[in-house]
PDB file of all heavy atoms in Angstrom:
ATOM      1  N   ASP T 872       4.443  36.458 -10.283  1.00 90.00           N
ATOM      2  CA  ASP T 872       4.914  35.229  -9.649  1.00 90.00           C
ATOM      3  C   ASP T 872       3.823  34.646  -8.756  1.00 90.00           C
ATOM      4  O   ASP T 872       3.616  35.093  -7.626  1.00 90.00           O
ATOM      5  CB  ASP T 872       6.175  35.527  -8.827  1.00 90.00           C
ATOM      6  CG  ASP T 872       6.865  34.262  -8.344  1.00 90.00           C
ATOM      7  OD1 ASP T 872       6.475  33.167  -8.794  1.00 90.00           O
ATOM      8  OD2 ASP T 872       7.799  34.368  -7.521  1.00 90.00           O
ATOM      9  N   ILE T 873       3.113  33.657  -9.283  1.00 91.00           N
ATOM     10  CA  ILE T 873       1.997  33.026  -8.573  1.00 91.00           C
ATOM     11  C   ILE T 873       2.242  31.531  -8.470  1.00 91.00           C
ATOM     12  O   ILE T 873       2.660  30.895  -9.433  1.00 91.00           O
ATOM     13  CB  ILE T 873       0.656  33.288  -9.295  1.00 91.00           C
ATOM     14  CG1 ILE T 873       0.235  34.749  -9.119  1.00 91.00           C
ATOM     15  CG2 ILE T 873      -0.453  32.373  -8.784  1.00 91.00           C
ATOM     16  CD1 ILE T 873      -1.056  35.101  -9.826  1.00 91.00           C
ATOM     17  N   VAL T 874       1.984  30.988  -7.295  1.00 90.00           N
ATOM     18  CA  VAL T 874       2.016  29.544  -7.081  1.00 90.00           C
ATOM     19  C   VAL T 874       0.581  29.082  -6.848  1.00 90.00           C
ATOM     20  O   VAL T 874      -0.146  29.671  -6.045  1.00 90.00           O
ATOM     21  CB  VAL T 874       2.901  29.176  -5.872  1.00 90.00           C
ATOM     22  CG1 VAL T 874       2.717  27.705  -5.494  1.00 90.00           C
ATOM     23  CG2 VAL T 874       4.361  29.463  -6.186  1.00 90.00           C
ATOM     24  N   THR T 875       0.164  28.036  -7.560  1.00 90.00           N
ATOM     25  CA  THR T 875      -1.196  27.512  -7.429  1.00 90.00           C
ATOM     26  C   THR T 875      -1.161  26.167  -6.719  1.00 90.00           C
ATOM     27  O   THR T 875      -0.366  25.292  -7.061  1.00 90.00           O
ATOM     28  CB  THR T 875      -1.850  27.352  -8.812  1.00 90.00           C
ATOM     29  OG1 THR T 875      -1.915  28.640  -9.451  1.00 90.00           O
ATOM     30  CG2 THR T 875      -3.260  26.803  -8.685  1.00 90.00           C
ATOM     31  N   VAL T 876      -2.036  26.020  -5.735  1.00 92.00           N
ATOM     32  CA  VAL T 876      -2.136  24.806  -4.933  1.00 92.00           C
ATOM     33  C   VAL T 876      -3.539  24.235  -5.104  1.00 92.00           C
ATOM     34  O   VAL T 876      -4.522  24.973  -5.131  1.00 92.00           O
ATOM     35  CB  VAL T 876      -1.878  25.110  -3.436  1.00 92.00           C
ATOM     36  CG1 VAL T 876      -1.976  23.835  -2.596  1.00 92.00           C
ATOM     37  CG2 VAL T 876      -0.518  25.762  -3.248  1.00 92.00           C
ATOM     38  N   GLY T 877      -3.629  22.913  -5.219  1.00 91.00           N
ATOM     39  CA  GLY T 877      -4.931  22.262  -5.383  1.00 91.00           C
ATOM     40  C   GLY T 877      -5.672  22.140  -4.073  1.00 91.00           C
ATOM     41  O   GLY T 877      -5.874  21.039  -3.561  1.00 91.00           O
ATOM     42  N   ALA T 878      -6.089  23.272  -3.525  1.00 93.00           N
ATOM     43  CA  ALA T 878      -6.828  23.286  -2.252  1.00 93.00           C
ATOM     44  C   ALA T 878      -7.893  24.355  -2.328  1.00 93.00           C
ATOM     45  O   ALA T 878      -7.600  25.527  -2.596  1.00 93.00           O
ATOM     46  CB  ALA T 878      -5.887  23.569  -1.084  1.00 93.00           C
ATOM     47  N   GLY T 879      -9.147  23.950  -2.117  1.00 94.00           N
ATOM     48  CA  GLY T 879     -10.253  24.893  -2.143  1.00 94.00           C
ATOM     49  C   GLY T 879     -11.448  24.312  -1.411  1.00 94.00           C
ATOM     50  O   GLY T 879     -11.397  23.198  -0.868  1.00 94.00           O
ATOM     51  N   GLY T 880     -12.533  25.053  -1.415  1.00 93.00           N
ATOM     52  CA  GLY T 880     -13.707  24.608  -0.703  1.00 93.00           C
ATOM     53  C   GLY T 880     -14.266  23.298  -1.207  1.00 93.00           C
ATOM     54  O   GLY T 880     -14.859  22.521  -0.448  1.00 93.00           O
ATOM     55  N   GLY T 881     -14.090  23.011  -2.492  1.00 94.00           N
ATOM     56  CA  GLY T 881     -14.594  21.767  -3.060  1.00 94.00           C
ATOM     57  C   GLY T 881     -13.604  20.624  -3.040  1.00 94.00           C
ATOM     58  O   GLY T 881     -13.911  19.530  -3.550  1.00 94.00           O
ATOM     59  N   SER T 882     -12.413  20.828  -2.465  1.00 95.00           N
ATOM     60  CA  SER T 882     -11.394  19.779  -2.422  1.00 95.00           C
ATOM     61  C   SER T 882     -11.916  18.571  -1.661  1.00 95.00           C
ATOM     62  O   SER T 882     -12.433  18.685  -0.547  1.00 95.00           O
ATOM     63  CB  SER T 882     -10.112  20.299  -1.757  1.00 95.00           C
ATOM     64  OG  SER T 882      -9.510  21.305  -2.549  1.00 95.00           O
ATOM     65  N   ILE T 883     -11.765  17.399  -2.268  1.00 95.00           N
ATOM     66  CA  ILE T 883     -12.338  16.171  -1.723  1.00 95.00           C
ATOM     67  C   ILE T 883     -11.358  15.505  -0.760  1.00 95.00           C
ATOM     68  O   ILE T 883     -10.163  15.375  -1.053  1.00 95.00           O
ATOM     69  CB  ILE T 883     -12.700  15.204  -2.863  1.00 95.00           C
ATOM     70  CG1 ILE T 883     -13.798  15.836  -3.736  1.00 95.00           C
ATOM     71  CG2 ILE T 883     -13.164  13.855  -2.321  1.00 95.00           C
ATOM     72  CD1 ILE T 883     -14.076  15.058  -5.012  1.00 95.00           C
ATOM     73  N   ALA T 884     -11.864  15.091   0.385  1.00 95.00           N
ATOM     74  CA  ALA T 884     -11.065  14.378   1.385  1.00 95.00           C
ATOM     75  C   ALA T 884     -11.159  12.879   1.126  1.00 95.00           C
ATOM     76  O   ALA T 884     -12.255  12.334   0.955  1.00 95.00           O
ATOM     77  CB  ALA T 884     -11.569  14.696   2.789  1.00 95.00           C
ATOM     78  N   VAL T 885     -10.009  12.214   1.077  1.00 94.00           N
ATOM     79  CA  VAL T 885      -9.970  10.766   0.857  1.00 94.00           C
ATOM     80  C   VAL T 885      -8.939  10.136   1.782  1.00 94.00           C
ATOM     81  O   VAL T 885      -7.980  10.790   2.215  1.00 94.00           O
ATOM     82  CB  VAL T 885      -9.632  10.412  -0.609  1.00 94.00           C
ATOM     83  CG1 VAL T 885     -10.697  10.921  -1.562  1.00 94.00           C
ATOM     84  CG2 VAL T 885      -8.267  10.978  -0.997  1.00 94.00           C
ATOM     85  N   ILE T 886      -9.144   8.853   2.081  1.00 92.00           N
ATOM     86  CA  ILE T 886      -8.162   8.055   2.820  1.00 92.00           C
ATOM     87  C   ILE T 886      -7.522   7.100   1.821  1.00 92.00           C
ATOM     88  O   ILE T 886      -8.220   6.330   1.150  1.00 92.00           O
ATOM     89  CB  ILE T 886      -8.826   7.250   3.956  1.00 92.00           C
ATOM     90  CG1 ILE T 886      -9.636   8.168   4.881  1.00 92.00           C
ATOM     91  CG2 ILE T 886      -7.783   6.468   4.740  1.00 92.00           C
ATOM     92  CD1 ILE T 886      -8.818   9.088   5.720  1.00 92.00           C
ATOM     93  N   ASP T 887      -6.193   7.149   1.697  1.00 86.00           N
ATOM     94  CA  ASP T 887      -5.540   6.281   0.721  1.00 86.00           C
ATOM     95  C   ASP T 887      -5.364   4.872   1.288  1.00 86.00           C
ATOM     96  O   ASP T 887      -5.766   4.569   2.421  1.00 86.00           O
ATOM     97  CB  ASP T 887      -4.208   6.883   0.271  1.00 86.00           C
ATOM     98  CG  ASP T 887      -3.185   6.997   1.394  1.00 86.00           C
ATOM     99  OD1 ASP T 887      -3.322   6.286   2.410  1.00 86.00           O
ATOM    100  OD2 ASP T 887      -2.224   7.779   1.246  1.00 86.00           O
ATOM    101  N   HIS T 888      -4.744   3.997   0.474  1.00 84.00           N
ATOM    102  CA  HIS T 888      -4.603   2.592   0.875  1.00 84.00           C
ATOM    103  C   HIS T 888      -3.726   2.427   2.107  1.00 84.00           C
ATOM    104  O   HIS T 888      -3.810   1.427   2.814  1.00 84.00           O
ATOM    105  CB  HIS T 888      -4.031   1.779  -0.290  1.00 84.00           C
ATOM    106  CG  HIS T 888      -4.959   1.696  -1.466  1.00 84.00           C
ATOM    107  ND1 HIS T 888      -6.193   1.089  -1.394  1.00 84.00           N
ATOM    108  CD2 HIS T 888      -4.831   2.157  -2.730  1.00 84.00           C
ATOM    109  CE1 HIS T 888      -6.790   1.166  -2.568  1.00 84.00           C
ATOM    110  NE2 HIS T 888      -5.987   1.815  -3.402  1.00 84.00           N
ATOM    111  N   GLY T 889      -2.864   3.418   2.352  1.00 84.00           N
ATOM    112  CA  GLY T 889      -2.015   3.348   3.541  1.00 84.00           C
ATOM    113  C   GLY T 889      -2.652   3.949   4.780  1.00 84.00           C
ATOM    114  O   GLY T 889      -2.005   4.027   5.822  1.00 84.00           O
ATOM    115  N   GLY T 890      -3.913   4.390   4.649  1.00 86.00           N
ATOM    116  CA  GLY T 890      -4.607   4.972   5.791  1.00 86.00           C
ATOM    117  C   GLY T 890      -4.330   6.441   6.012  1.00 86.00           C
ATOM    118  O   GLY T 890      -4.695   6.996   7.050  1.00 86.00           O
ATOM    119  N   MET T 891      -3.684   7.114   5.017  1.00 91.00           N
ATOM    120  CA  MET T 891      -3.352   8.532   5.154  1.00 91.00           C
ATOM    121  C   MET T 891      -4.470   9.387   4.584  1.00 91.00           C
ATOM    122  O   MET T 891      -5.045   9.087   3.538  1.00 91.00           O
ATOM    123  CB  MET T 891      -2.045   8.848   4.426  1.00 91.00           C
ATOM    124  CG  MET T 891      -0.824   8.151   5.013  1.00 91.00           C
ATOM    125  SD  MET T 891      -0.423   8.753   6.668  1.00 91.00           S
ATOM    126  CE  MET T 891       0.112  10.413   6.267  1.00 91.00           C
ATOM    127  N   LEU T 892      -4.767  10.479   5.268  1.00 94.00           N
ATOM    128  CA  LEU T 892      -5.784  11.423   4.826  1.00 94.00           C
ATOM    129  C   LEU T 892      -5.162  12.444   3.882  1.00 94.00           C
ATOM    130  O   LEU T 892      -4.109  13.016   4.161  1.00 94.00           O
ATOM    131  CB  LEU T 892      -6.391  12.147   6.032  1.00 94.00           C
ATOM    132  CG  LEU T 892      -7.345  13.308   5.736  1.00 94.00           C
ATOM    133  CD1 LEU T 892      -8.617  12.810   5.050  1.00 94.00           C
ATOM    134  CD2 LEU T 892      -7.677  14.062   7.029  1.00 94.00           C
ATOM    135  N   SER T 893      -5.810  12.667   2.751  1.00 93.00           N
ATOM    136  CA  SER T 893      -5.394  13.736   1.844  1.00 93.00           C
ATOM    137  C   SER T 893      -6.622  14.554   1.466  1.00 93.00           C
ATOM    138  O   SER T 893      -7.749  14.052   1.463  1.00 93.00           O
ATOM    139  CB  SER T 893      -4.716  13.170   0.584  1.00 93.00           C
ATOM    140  OG  SER T 893      -5.618  12.375  -0.157  1.00 93.00           O
ATOM    141  N   VAL T 894      -6.398  15.828   1.143  1.00 93.00           N
ATOM    142  CA  VAL T 894      -7.477  16.742   0.766  1.00 93.00           C
ATOM    143  C   VAL T 894      -7.069  17.414  -0.530  1.00 93.00           C
ATOM    144  O   VAL T 894      -6.100  18.170  -0.562  1.00 93.00           O
ATOM    145  CB  VAL T 894      -7.738  17.794   1.863  1.00 93.00           C
ATOM    146  CG1 VAL T 894      -8.899  18.703   1.463  1.00 93.00           C
ATOM    147  CG2 VAL T 894      -8.021  17.130   3.197  1.00 93.00           C
ATOM    148  N   GLY T 895      -7.814  17.131  -1.631  1.00 87.00           N
ATOM    149  CA  GLY T 895      -7.465  17.643  -2.942  1.00 87.00           C
ATOM    150  C   GLY T 895      -6.312  16.858  -3.537  1.00 87.00           C
ATOM    151  O   GLY T 895      -5.769  15.945  -2.901  1.00 87.00           O
ATOM    152  N   PRO T 896      -5.902  17.161  -4.773  1.00 90.00           N
ATOM    153  CA  PRO T 896      -6.408  18.250  -5.617  1.00 90.00           C
ATOM    154  C   PRO T 896      -7.743  17.963  -6.303  1.00 90.00           C
ATOM    155  O   PRO T 896      -8.312  18.849  -6.929  1.00 90.00           O
ATOM    156  CB  PRO T 896      -5.287  18.420  -6.652  1.00 90.00           C
ATOM    157  CG  PRO T 896      -4.700  17.048  -6.792  1.00 90.00           C
ATOM    158  CD  PRO T 896      -4.774  16.443  -5.406  1.00 90.00           C
ATOM    159  N   GLN T 897      -8.239  16.707  -6.219  1.00 91.00           N
ATOM    160  CA  GLN T 897      -9.541  16.434  -6.817  1.00 91.00           C
ATOM    161  C   GLN T 897     -10.603  17.296  -6.137  1.00 91.00           C
ATOM    162  O   GLN T 897     -10.600  17.480  -4.928  1.00 91.00           O
ATOM    163  CB  GLN T 897      -9.909  14.954  -6.676  1.00 91.00           C
ATOM    164  CG  GLN T 897      -9.048  14.013  -7.493  1.00 91.00           C
ATOM    165  CD  GLN T 897      -7.699  13.742  -6.841  1.00 91.00           C
ATOM    166  OE1 GLN T 897      -7.539  13.992  -5.640  1.00 91.00           O
ATOM    167  NE2 GLN T 897      -6.751  13.264  -7.612  1.00 91.00           N
ATOM    168  N   SER T 898     -11.526  17.804  -6.953  1.00 92.00           N
ATOM    169  CA  SER T 898     -12.533  18.723  -6.426  1.00 92.00           C
ATOM    170  C   SER T 898     -13.932  18.299  -6.853  1.00 92.00           C
ATOM    171  O   SER T 898     -14.128  17.744  -7.941  1.00 92.00           O
ATOM    172  CB  SER T 898     -12.261  20.148  -6.932  1.00 92.00           C
ATOM    173  OG  SER T 898     -13.281  21.039  -6.531  1.00 92.00           O
ATOM    174  N   ALA T 899     -14.891  18.582  -5.990  1.00 92.00           N
ATOM    175  CA  ALA T 899     -16.295  18.317  -6.315  1.00 92.00           C
ATOM    176  C   ALA T 899     -16.848  19.334  -7.298  1.00 92.00           C
ATOM    177  O   ALA T 899     -17.937  19.141  -7.841  1.00 92.00           O
ATOM    178  CB  ALA T 899     -17.132  18.336  -5.032  1.00 92.00           C
ATOM    179  N   GLY T 900     -16.102  20.424  -7.548  1.00 87.00           N
ATOM    180  CA  GLY T 900     -16.545  21.430  -8.492  1.00 87.00           C
ATOM    181  C   GLY T 900     -17.805  22.142  -8.047  1.00 87.00           C
ATOM    182  O   GLY T 900     -18.230  22.072  -6.894  1.00 87.00           O
ATOM    183  N   ALA T 901     -18.425  22.837  -8.986  1.00 83.00           N
ATOM    184  CA  ALA T 901     -19.676  23.533  -8.678  1.00 83.00           C
ATOM    185  C   ALA T 901     -20.869  22.588  -8.755  1.00 83.00           C
ATOM    186  O   ALA T 901     -21.862  22.775  -8.052  1.00 83.00           O
ATOM    187  CB  ALA T 901     -19.874  24.703  -9.635  1.00 83.00           C
ATOM    188  N   GLU T 902     -20.778  21.582  -9.611  1.00 86.00           N
ATOM    189  CA  GLU T 902     -21.830  20.574  -9.747  1.00 86.00           C
ATOM    190  C   GLU T 902     -21.174  19.201  -9.744  1.00 86.00           C
ATOM    191  O   GLU T 902     -20.341  18.937 -10.616  1.00 86.00           O
ATOM    192  CB  GLU T 902     -22.619  20.792 -11.044  1.00 86.00           C
ATOM    193  CG  GLU T 902     -23.418  22.072 -11.067  1.00 86.00           C
ATOM    194  CD  GLU T 902     -24.215  22.224 -12.351  1.00 86.00           C
ATOM    195  OE1 GLU T 902     -24.115  21.317 -13.220  1.00 86.00           O
ATOM    196  OE2 GLU T 902     -24.915  23.225 -12.503  1.00 86.00           O
ATOM    197  N   PRO T 903     -21.470  18.320  -8.800  1.00 91.00           N
ATOM    198  CA  PRO T 903     -22.511  18.492  -7.786  1.00 91.00           C
ATOM    199  C   PRO T 903     -22.101  19.365  -6.608  1.00 91.00           C
ATOM    200  O   PRO T 903     -22.936  19.765  -5.814  1.00 91.00           O
ATOM    201  CB  PRO T 903     -22.760  17.064  -7.330  1.00 91.00           C
ATOM    202  CG  PRO T 903     -21.437  16.391  -7.475  1.00 91.00           C
ATOM    203  CD  PRO T 903     -20.853  16.972  -8.728  1.00 91.00           C
ATOM    204  N   GLY T 904     -20.812  19.643  -6.476  1.00 91.00           N
ATOM    205  CA  GLY T 904     -20.373  20.465  -5.362  1.00 91.00           C
ATOM    206  C   GLY T 904     -20.249  19.667  -4.081  1.00 91.00           C
ATOM    207  O   GLY T 904     -20.444  18.451  -4.054  1.00 91.00           O
ATOM    208  N   PRO T 905     -19.924  20.350  -2.967  1.00 94.00           N
ATOM    209  CA  PRO T 905     -19.855  19.678  -1.666  1.00 94.00           C
ATOM    210  C   PRO T 905     -21.172  18.994  -1.321  1.00 94.00           C
ATOM    211  O   PRO T 905     -22.238  19.387  -1.807  1.00 94.00           O
ATOM    212  CB  PRO T 905     -19.549  20.834  -0.699  1.00 94.00           C
ATOM    213  CG  PRO T 905     -18.875  21.870  -1.543  1.00 94.00           C
ATOM    214  CD  PRO T 905     -19.529  21.775  -2.884  1.00 94.00           C
ATOM    215  N   ALA T 906     -21.088  17.986  -0.482  1.00 94.00           N
ATOM    216  CA  ALA T 906     -22.292  17.239  -0.106  1.00 94.00           C
ATOM    217  C   ALA T 906     -23.349  18.144   0.521  1.00 94.00           C
ATOM    218  O   ALA T 906     -24.552  17.969   0.284  1.00 94.00           O
ATOM    219  CB  ALA T 906     -21.911  16.121   0.864  1.00 94.00           C
ATOM    220  N   CYS T 907     -22.924  19.135   1.286  1.00 93.00           N
ATOM    221  CA  CYS T 907     -23.871  20.003   1.988  1.00 93.00           C
ATOM    222  C   CYS T 907     -24.692  20.866   1.044  1.00 93.00           C
ATOM    223  O   CYS T 907     -25.701  21.454   1.457  1.00 93.00           O
ATOM    224  CB  CYS T 907     -23.143  20.880   3.007  1.00 93.00           C
ATOM    225  SG  CYS T 907     -21.896  21.959   2.287  1.00 93.00           S
ATOM    226  N   TYR T 908     -24.286  20.965  -0.237  1.00 91.00           N
ATOM    227  CA  TYR T 908     -25.071  21.730  -1.197  1.00 91.00           C
ATOM    228  C   TYR T 908     -26.388  21.035  -1.541  1.00 91.00           C
ATOM    229  O   TYR T 908     -27.298  21.665  -2.073  1.00 91.00           O
ATOM    230  CB  TYR T 908     -24.277  21.953  -2.483  1.00 91.00           C
ATOM    231  CG  TYR T 908     -23.272  23.080  -2.425  1.00 91.00           C
ATOM    232  CD1 TYR T 908     -22.780  23.551  -1.211  1.00 91.00           C
ATOM    233  CD2 TYR T 908     -22.809  23.672  -3.587  1.00 91.00           C
ATOM    234  CE1 TYR T 908     -21.857  24.570  -1.165  1.00 91.00           C
ATOM    235  CE2 TYR T 908     -21.885  24.698  -3.555  1.00 91.00           C
ATOM    236  CZ  TYR T 908     -21.408  25.149  -2.346  1.00 91.00           C
ATOM    237  OH  TYR T 908     -20.487  26.163  -2.310  1.00 91.00           O
TER     238      TYR T 908
END
């Protein structure tokens, strides 16, 4: 019994049209990865 959530180190932070902050499920992946890479 496993639940998977779209949250990880590569999860991308975005501000939607309503001004709300969300993190994931879209991910930067391994390439190009986070900006700091």
Side-chain angles (χ1 to χ4, degrees):
D872 190 10
I873 288 179
V874 169
T875 299
V876 180
S882 294
I883 296 171
V885 297
I886 306 290
D887 64 21
H888 294 297
M891 295 293 292
L892 172 66
S893 63
V894 182
Q897 292 79 18
S898 175
E902 294 182 359
C907 60
Y908 280 21

